[in-house]
Every structure is written in structure tokens, then in C-alpha cells.
Amino acid sequence: MSTVQYHQTWLVDFFHSFPHIDLTFQYTNSTFDPERPTYREALIFFAALPVLWCLISLLLFSCYYVVQCCKDKPKKRRKTGCLKVFIGVMVTLGCAALAFGFYGNEETHDGVDDLADSLADTNQTLQNAKHTLTVLDRLADQISKRGVQALENVTDTIGNQTVSHSIHNLIQSIIDKSAEFRTDIKVLQNDTGGFDLHVIKQEIDLIEFYRWLATLILNTVFVFLNLLFLIGIAKSSKCVLVTAAVGSLCCLIFMWGASGFYIGVSMATGDLCSDPDLFVRRTVSGTVKKDVLQAYLTCTDNTKPFTESIVKANEAVAQATSALNKTVALAKPYNISNKIRKPVAYLRQELKYVVSNLTALNDVVNCEHIHNNYVKSVNGICDKAMIGLAFMCLMSLIVGLTVTFAIAFASRTWPHFGKRRGYYPVDDTDPFLPRPPPYESYGTMRSYEREGGNSVPSLSRRSVGSEQGSRPFWIEDTTAKSVNEESGATLNLPMGESPPPAYHPGRYSSMQQYNNLAPHPGAMQGSSET
């Protein structure tokens, strides 16, 4: 006999060793019993701890942001390199934890699928056994009534009373053995129970699908938020960083809630896997006999649980067949072979069907197949699913902490990010573009009026520069100097350097403002005539 056995893992011992404390802070029994109120309270106690930490974190964040809103904006921007590095480290750790979370989610899903498949296979085995038992019961009824009654009607025509009495005794033996065989079939029907595992399998599939989908969506959302954190610190974008922090703050309660959920489920799974046989016995108590259930759970003896009943049924069928053969032999000398051929052939065919169905039933209800399915389901929950739950507990705790720290340090970082000004393409050779200080008034009427001259020295410079062809107008030469000396004007230019390009982004909000400050040709001509 080739059977597999369940071996308890260290993760089961780890989660089972958690102190089980109810809501009154009293220790309770750690045996898996969802019907017991104190046991449910012990699971809720540990599941509520991450949620409580989340609420405290949100309260602290609210107080912190209220204080920040009341404070003045920093006048001097600080360097944010260290803050960016710390946020990047937290986000990287969070992404690594989310990778383990994806793996744990799939591993848990595979373990639950093993449980569902084992339930479906076991349910199919039980249904096949019930169908075979129904067929055997119908065959026994037909043999006792239809077949034996037809044979008895034929043998009544025999004139020899002694032979007729012997044949009637054999026919009665066939009836008795059929009744005995039918009794054994009824025992098998009662021992197999009347519960249906298909409903349980459907409920498990539905719950597991929504759990797997919700975890997948939650992990994907946090991957996206972590990417927003990385983009925000890489581009020094205040808008992206604020969006990531606000989104993470809103989703943080779901992550801490998932952490509490998986801690509670892991504890319950550890308690269940510490003694799964006890839970199964309690669940099917009153539906299946204890000795039958024990035979399937352990499968240490391949003659149990139904082999004895099946052997008795086979013996009854063999004795009925022997009685039928003796009846045919006794009736042969009385020339009634043609009359009894049809009922005898019917009875032999029915007895043959009974033997084949009993053989099939023995293969179906053998403890090896159902026991292997049971061990497969236990290994799926207590090995695969247990590993996945442990990964998701660890993932949810790490992601919750890293995101909390990332939000806290992001709020210290974005106030030091400045607003970005857009770049507008301009022609740098345009002489009417604004200039950066200290050249913003160079070449304008404001420069001339401030210097108190009667002519426009800046135009003299520009006219000289324009006469020199491609030579820039701000290059000094003797002609320009003589013109300036004659006009009596003095320009206060920095010594030892050339003026920078005329374009200075952000100096003027529009060209209209610049045109209002620039000299007009008519005004320049009038001043020169005077």
C-alpha cells in the first residue's frame, strides 16, 4: 500500500505558539475551534494590532500636517539630497517586499487550489460509491422478486414432491443470500454518510478568488505609488511627490488591514495544522462512524473500513449462484430446461452484475485513495498556503512601515522644491530683448535720463556697432568713445567684462511691458533735433 503522510512544518509551530489572548486579556485554549467565542477573540486581538498602529499613525500624521500648515514657509531652501536617498531606500525596500508579497499570494492560491481539488476528487469518489451501492441495492431487489419468482413458477410444475421441495429450499436460499447481501449494502450506504463536499468546495473557491484578487490589486497599487515616489525624488517634482504621499496615506489603512487579516489567518492556520485530524473528527461527528473516519484518516490497515462488508456480500452472491446451479441440476431430468432457461439466464446475469459492482466498489471505497486526497489537502493548506501566508504577513508589515516613513520624509522634502519655469524660445540677437542686471537699463531712455545727457549715447553705440557690420554693438572702440565724450554722457558699465546676452527669462511677463519701457523712434528723433 502506497500512502503519503502529513509532516508538520516549523511555520505551523511558530504561529501555533502565539499567545492566545482574548479581549479580556485572559489566556485561552489554542486548539482550533472557530465556534468558541474566546478563540475568535484571540484571533481578533492579534489581527487588531496592525489596525491600531495604523490609526495611531494617521492621527500623528494629521497633527503633524496641521502644525506644518500653521507654520510659515521656509525662506531659505535646504539641500534635500539625504532626504531623497532615505526615501529611495524606503521605496526600494517596499518594492522588494511587494515582490515577496506577489509570490506569497500565488503560493497561498496554489495551496488552496490543492485543497479544492482534493475535495472535488474525494466527493467524486463518494458519489461513485453511492451510485454503485444504489445499483447493487436495485440488483438485489430484482433478484429477490423478479428472477426468483419466475424460477419458482417454473419449478412448481415438477410432479416429484421431494425434488420440488429441494428446489424450493434452494430458491429460498437464493432469496436469503440476496437479502443478506442487500443488508450489507445498506450498511455500506449508512457508513458512507450523506454529506456533499461539492458545496464546501464551491464556497472555498469563491472566497479564495476574491482574496487572491484583492491582494493582487492592493500590491499593484502600492507598486504604482512607490514608482511615483521614485519619479518625484528623481525629478524633484513637488506635484508628483505630494500625489504619491496622499495616495499612499489613503491606501495605507488597506495595507495595515491586510496585515491584520493575514496575521489572524496565519494563527488560525497554524492552530488547525497542529492537529488537523481533530478538526475533521469534530466536523463530521454524527455523520460518519468514528471507526470508518479513523480508517480513512490513518489508513494503516487496507482491509478497512468496508472490506469486511464487501467480502460478506461476495460470499452471499457466491452461495446464491451455487444454489441456482443446484436448482438447474435438479430440474434437468424433468424436461423443463426450455422453461427455466430464461429465468436462470436472467438470474445469472444479475448475479454477475452484482459481482462486478462489488469489485468496483471495493476499489472505490479503499482507504488509500481517499487518504491520499486528505493528506494532499492538508499539505496544500499547512505547507504551501502556510508559506504564502508567512510571506504576505512579512510583506504587509514591511510595506506598511516603509510607506509610513516615506510619507513622513516626503513631507519634509517637497517644501524645498521650487516651482519650475518653462523655457520660451526667443531670438537672442534681438536688441529689444530685456537684459539681466546690471544691464537691464543699458541702451534705453531710462539710462539716458538717469545720466543727464542731451543725446542718446546708447544709440550712438548701437549706430557705431551697426556700421561695423557683424561686430556686436557692445564692443568698445574709439569712434564710440569720441561720440560719448562729445555728448558729455557717462555710462556706468562694469569694468573688465562684456555685457551678457540680452535674454533674461522671467524678467518681463509680456512683450507689452517690455515695449512700454523701450525707447520709441519718434521720441529718440525729437531729442536729437533739440
Side-chain angles (χ1 to χ4, degrees):
M1 181 176 57
S2 176
T3 58
V4 294
Q5 299 296 331
Y6 162 65
H7 300 286
Q8 189 169 312
T9 61
W10 68 271
L11 280 174
V12 173
D13 296 331
F14 174 74
F15 284 105
H16 182 61
S17 64
F18 278 23
H20 290 63
I21 304 173
D22 59 16
L23 298 182
T24 60
F25 299 98
Q26 300 293 327
Y27 284 95
T28 183
N29 190 4
S30 61
T31 303
F32 182 75
D33 187 9
E35 302 297 329
R36 185 157 43 92
T38 54
Y39 180 78
R40 292 197 301 267
E41 291 179 4
L43 298 180
I44 294 174
F45 179 83
F46 270 92
L49 292 180
V51 179
L52 181 62
W53 166 253
C54 176
L55 295 178
I56 294 174
S57 301
L58 293 178
L59 180 62
L60 293 177
F61 275 129
S62 301
C63 297
Y64 172 75
Y65 287 135
V66 168
V67 172
Q68 289 297 317
C69 289
C70 296
K71 291 174 62 178
D72 296 334
K73 293 183 179 180
K75 298 180 180 180
K76 183 179 179 181
R77 295 179 182 176
R78 300 177 181 177
K79 295 182 179 180
T80 58
C82 293
L83 294 174
K84 289 182 179 180
V85 170
F86 188 83
I87 295 173
V89 171
M90 291 294 102
V91 170
T92 304
L93 289 176
C95 290
L98 286 170
F100 285 104
F102 282 112
Y103 170 76
N105 190 36
E106 294 299 324
E107 193 74 4
T108 303
H109 188 66
D110 291 341
V112 177
D113 279 346
D114 288 346
L115 170 63
D117 293 341
S118 299
L119 289 176
D121 195 6
T122 302
N123 186 67
Q124 185 62 39
T125 300
L126 294 176
Q127 295 302 320
N128 291 339
K130 291 178 182 179
H131 176 71
T132 304
L133 290 172
T134 303
V135 172
L136 289 171
D137 184 62
R138 179 176 55 82
L139 290 174
D141 184 66
Q142 291 178 355
I143 290 172
S144 301
K145 295 180 179 179
R146 182 179 174 183
V148 174
Q149 185 65 38
L151 181 62
E152 191 175 16
N153 292 336
V154 174
T155 56
D156 286 341
T157 59
I158 298 176
N160 192 325
Q161 295 296 326
T162 303
V163 175
S164 178
H165 181 70
S166 300
I167 291 176
H168 278 289
N169 289 337
L170 292 173
I171 292 175
Q172 186 61 40
S173 176
I174 296 174
I175 295 173
D176 293 340
K177 296 304 178 182
S178 299
E180 182 180 342
F181 151 73
R182 192 174 185 182
T183 301
D184 294 332
I185 297 303
K186 291 291 185 182
V187 171
L188 291 173
Q189 285 180 329
N190 294 331
D191 289 344
T192 53
F195 60 94
D196 189 2
L197 298 177
H198 181 67
V199 177
I200 301 176
K201 191 254 183 189
Q202 284 185 327
E203 292 178 355
I204 291 175
D205 285 339
L206 183 63
I207 295 173
E208 170 58 20
F209 172 75
Y210 285 112
R211 183 212 63 80
W212 172 82
L213 183 62
T215 304
L216 182 65
I217 293 175
L218 182 63
N219 291 351
T220 305
V221 168
F222 271 91
V223 169
F224 175 73
L225 292 173
N226 285 337
L227 290 178
L228 282 183
F229 273 114
L230 291 177
I231 294 173
I233 61 176
K235 298 179 66 66
S236 297
S237 174
K238 182 177 181 180
C239 178
V240 175
L241 203 58
V242 170
T243 302
V246 173
S248 300
L249 195 61
C250 295
C251 298
L252 198 59
I253 188 171
F254 294 103
M255 182 57 72
W256 285 115
S259 177
F261 170 77
Y262 283 121
I263 289 176
V265 172
S266 299
M267 283 184 58
T269 306
D271 297 336
L272 169 65
C273 296
S274 64
D275 191 1
D277 295 351
L278 178 62
F279 172 72
V280 174
R281 292 191 193 97
R282 188 188 299 118
T283 302
V284 300
S285 177
T287 306
V288 181
K289 289 185 176 180
K290 292 183 179 180
D291 56 340
V292 174
L293 180 61
Q294 185 64 26
Y296 280 125
L297 293 179
T298 59
C299 197
T300 55
D301 187 359
N302 59 355
T303 62
K304 294 181 179 180
F306 301 122
T307 303
E308 185 177 353
S309 299
I310 294 175
V311 169
K312 288 181 179 180
N314 273 318
E315 290 177 354
V317 173
Q319 291 175 4
T321 304
S322 176
L324 179 62
N325 292 334
K326 290 179 181 180
T327 301
V328 174
L330 288 174
K332 188 175 182 180
Y334 297 95
N335 297 322
I336 59 173
S337 300
N338 294 331
K339 295 181 180 180
I340 67 173
R341 182 180 295 113
K342 187 174 181 180
V344 168
Y346 175 79
L347 285 173
R348 284 178 176 171
Q349 183 180 8
E350 294 296 303
L351 291 172
K352 184 179 180 180
Y353 286 159
V354 169
V355 173
S356 61
N357 278 277
L358 285 173
T359 304
L361 180 64
N362 187 42
D363 296 336
V364 169
V365 299
N366 187 274
C367 70
E368 180 180 344
H369 184 67
I370 294 180
H371 174 75
N372 288 342
N373 279 332
Y374 169 69
V375 175
K376 178 184 176 182
S377 63
V378 173
N379 283 330
I381 292 297
C382 302
D383 190 7
K384 285 186 179 180
M386 192 81 258
I387 294 174
L389 289 172
F391 272 117
M392 285 188 289
C393 285
L394 187 63
M395 176 273 300
S396 57
L397 290 174
I398 293 176
V399 172
L401 290 175
T402 54
V403 171
T404 301
F405 283 115
I407 294 173
F409 281 88
S411 62
R412 297 290 300 169
T413 305
W414 72 60
H416 303 289
F417 290 165
K419 295 182 179 179
R420 287 186 172 272
R421 295 185 176 92
Y423 176 77
Y424 300 96
V426 296
D427 183 9
D428 292 341
T429 62
D430 189 351
F432 293 101
L433 288 176
R435 292 159 172 75
Y439 305 98
E440 67 271 12
S441 62
Y442 173 65
T444 64
M445 290 300 296
R446 289 188 302 165
S447 172
Y448 167 71
E449 293 173 356
R450 184 172 61 251
E451 292 163 359
N454 295 325
S455 63
V456 187
S458 59
L459 292 180
S460 301
R461 276 183 173 272
R462 292 181 182 178
S463 62
V464 172
S466 63
E467 292 175 358
Q468 293 174 351
S470 60
R471 186 175 182 181
F473 66 84
W474 57 76
I475 304 299
E476 292 286 350
D477 63 284
T478 55
T479 307
K481 287 182 180 180
S482 61
V483 173
N484 289 329
E485 290 175 355
E486 293 176 359
S487 62
T490 304
L491 295 178
N492 298 321
L493 293 178
M495 302 301 296
E497 61 174 313
S498 299
Y503 175 63
H504 178 57
R507 179 64 181 177
Y508 301 102
S509 59
S510 64
M511 286 300 298
Q512 182 64 37
Q513 182 182 1
Y514 174 78
N515 292 333
N516 292 336
L517 298 175
H520 297 283
M524 290 167 27
Q525 184 177 3
S527 61
S528 61
E529 290 177 355
T530 57

